[in-house]
Amino acid sequence: MPLLKGFRGKKGAKTIKVIVIVLAIAFVGGLLYTGSVVMREPAGDHYGVIAVVNGKNINRDSFEQGYRNALLAEYEYTGRVLPENIGPIRISLLNQFIDTILITEAARKEKIRISSKEVDEEFKLQEEAFPSKEEFQKALAANNITAAQFKSLIKERLTIQKLFNQIQAGVTISEDEVKKAYTEETGAPAEGEEFDKQRSEIEMRLKAQAGQNELSAWLEGLRNEANIELRDAELRALVKIKEKDYDEAIAEYNSAISLDPENPYLYVGVAQAYMAKDNLKQATEALEKAVSLRPEDPYMRLLLGLAYRDGDSHELAAHEFKVASEYGGLDILLHVRLESLLKTVGNDEDVRNQQTKIKEIRELLEKSNSAAVTEEQVNN
């Protein structure tokens, strides 16, 4: 059972809803994804600070621990971590760290206070969500967190929530807005019994959305006024890609590679920058280097195969797709995609072999699912 259940948000929620995740990352450790994604060590620059926000440091150790937890969450949610998503995950995490510093700073300026009684009450609620106190203690231990650290985390969360409530306090929704929303959603005039039934739900939904917009605008203001210095070349490269300044992104990636030449994801990142510049040759060379460093990663093989295909090197592309299939395990979505790609660059035998593999995997998955259902029925 996860700690701090209240921290969970819906998929697709705005950034403001998930900012508090960073507070958990700062404390919760030990969750290492050991699949096909390399867990990176601190880069060879020997400095421990990756960014400075209004004079406050973001330490590399904390950031990399957060990155490991983010990878684990991505893997648990989707069943895979695509190499081309590594950069976006890292820049998203950086933004969360930055936002958390800015929000915490704002809460301090507003003199938001949380009493020990409030913390203890929330701690008790979290503890009672587990079958027993022993199970709760096991969960703390499994996440390498003490009760005192967890209470500190709770205090930070309650502080932020109180600040958010304060910012949203003036948000109101007019009757005209409710009527307009009802008419747009139903196509009917906003009157009568049916409108009265839905009025309250629509007003609550509009108010929640307006509150989120208020928070987003407030946070954007904090970021615009903040003094943010990035000391990590890869993160600077990711920012430049977002700004579509691909030449600068490539220069920053090359700086990062000079410090960490065995990191395959840096080569994937620089390949993406080259692709954005329509420089297929350089992108392909970067992907070849990434694959040489992680030859058993099926998704890196897939990316290289796509580059070969786009360069009309169909034989090389087919080879990469077939190798990706060899290393693809039971990832049925990957294998289905590879079947489709092999139809464009491979021969009939390649396609038939892939189709046979897909059939075998489906049968294995069906047996596994059936066994799991049977076990659950027996246990219940």
Side-chain angles (χ1 to χ4, degrees):
M1 183 177 293
L3 294 170
L4 277 180
K5 293 166 67 180
F7 274 39
R8 290 179 173 270
K10 293 181 180 180
K11 183 181 179 184
K14 287 195 173 182
T15 303
I16 198 76
K17 287 188 176 182
V18 296
I19 286 168
V20 286
I21 291 174
V22 174
L23 295 173
I25 289 170
F27 291 104
V28 179
L31 300 176
L32 305 182
Y33 170 52
T34 56
S36 64
V37 175
V38 174
M39 303 316 303
R40 66 176 71 195
E41 296 297 326
D45 47 34
H46 301 298
Y47 59 73
V49 175
I50 65 163
V52 182
V53 182
N54 289 345
K56 296 177 178 63
N57 296 339
I58 297 177
N59 295 322
R60 183 175 295 280
D61 286 347
S62 296
F63 182 83
E64 297 299 345
Q65 180 61 61
Y67 169 66
R68 288 190 283 268
N69 281 286
L71 285 183
L72 177 67
E74 174 77 4
Y75 183 75
E76 288 184 337
Y77 191 66
T78 67
R80 59 189 59 80
V81 182
L82 303 180
E84 63 267 37
N85 287 345
I86 293 298
I89 288 172
R90 287 178 72 77
I91 200 67
S92 177
L93 182 65
L94 172 70
N95 288 333
Q96 288 190 37
F97 268 86
I98 291 172
D99 291 346
T100 298
I101 289 175
L102 296 177
I103 291 167
T104 304
E105 194 175 73
R108 195 171 294 114
K109 288 180 180 178
E110 292 295 324
K111 297 181 179 179
I112 304 292
R113 296 287 183 265
I114 300 296
S115 68
S116 57
K117 180 181 178 182
E118 290 175 285
V119 174
D120 289 340
E121 287 175 351
E122 178 63 21
F123 184 87
K124 185 177 180 182
L125 285 174
Q126 294 291 333
E127 185 179 59
E128 289 174 349
F130 288 78
S132 66
K133 288 185 177 181
E134 290 74 18
E135 290 297 318
F136 177 65
Q137 292 299 324
K138 287 180 182 178
L140 290 175
N143 286 278
N144 292 339
I145 185 173
T146 67
Q149 288 173 324
F150 192 54
K151 285 187 176 182
S152 178
L153 174 58
I154 288 171
K155 184 176 181 179
E156 294 280 7
R157 175 196 174 194
L158 294 177
T159 299
I160 287 177
Q161 189 58 59
K162 188 173 286 190
L163 174 64
F164 285 0
N165 291 341
Q166 183 175 300
I167 294 166
Q168 293 175 309
V171 173
T172 59
I173 297 298
S174 68
E175 179 72 3
D176 287 343
E177 288 175 299
V178 174
K179 288 181 177 180
K180 181 181 178 182
Y182 176 83
T183 299
E184 288 178 349
E185 292 171 13
T186 66
E191 58 188 28
E193 183 178 342
E194 192 61 34
F195 170 64
D196 289 338
K197 286 180 182 178
Q198 298 187 42
R199 181 199 306 263
S200 178
E201 185 274 330
I202 292 174
E203 183 177 5
M204 288 178 60
R205 176 159 44 84
L206 292 178
K207 190 170 183 179
Q209 183 60 58
Q212 289 298 314
N213 293 340
E214 187 77 11
L215 286 174
S216 296
W218 171 79
L219 180 58
E220 187 65 26
L222 290 183
R223 290 182 68 93
N224 289 338
E225 295 173 4
N227 182 12
I228 302 172
E229 175 192 358
L230 297 184
R231 296 184 178 179
D232 181 271
E234 179 192 10
L235 295 177
R236 291 196 300 266
L238 290 165
V239 170
K240 291 301 179 181
I241 283 183
K242 186 176 181 181
E243 295 172 352
K244 297 185 178 180
D245 188 347
Y246 302 118
D247 288 329
E248 281 298 314
I250 290 167
E252 293 290 0
Y253 267 123
N254 286 335
S255 294
I257 288 169
S258 70
L259 296 170
D260 194 7
E262 301 302 307
N263 183 342
Y265 301 105
L266 294 178
Y267 296 96
V268 173
V270 78
Q272 290 174 302
Y274 279 123
M275 285 289 191
K277 284 172 56 66
D278 293 324
N279 189 334
L280 182 59
K281 180 177 182 296
Q282 293 284 73
T284 303
E285 289 176 0
L287 289 172
E288 287 172 340
K289 180 62 177 179
V291 166
S292 73
L293 292 169
R294 292 283 290 163
E296 296 181 6
D297 187 313
Y299 282 98
M300 285 194 182
R301 292 284 188 171
L302 173 61
L303 290 177
L304 180 56
L306 289 171
Y308 284 144
R309 183 200 63 178
D310 292 345
D312 292 327
S313 299
H314 287 187
E315 187 175 339
L316 290 175
H319 171 75
E320 293 302 323
F321 294 149
K322 287 186 286 185
V323 175
S325 180
E326 291 175 15
Y327 292 127
L330 300 181
D331 190 338
I332 189 67
L333 294 179
L334 170 64
H335 287 289
V336 170
R337 186 179 180 189
L338 290 171
E339 177 197 2
S340 177
L341 289 170
L342 283 169
K343 286 179 180 179
T344 66
V345 297
N347 55 44
D348 291 343
E349 184 180 358
D350 293 334
V351 175
R352 284 195 299 271
N353 289 340
Q354 187 63 19
Q355 290 171 339
T356 299
K357 180 170 288 189
I358 290 171
K359 181 180 178 182
E360 292 172 351
I361 291 172
R362 283 187 170 140
E363 290 174 352
L364 284 171
L365 291 176
E366 287 173 2
K367 288 180 181 178
S368 177
N369 291 335
S370 177
V373 170
T374 301
E375 182 179 358
E376 184 177 350
Q377 291 172 341
V378 170
N379 291 336
N380 291 337

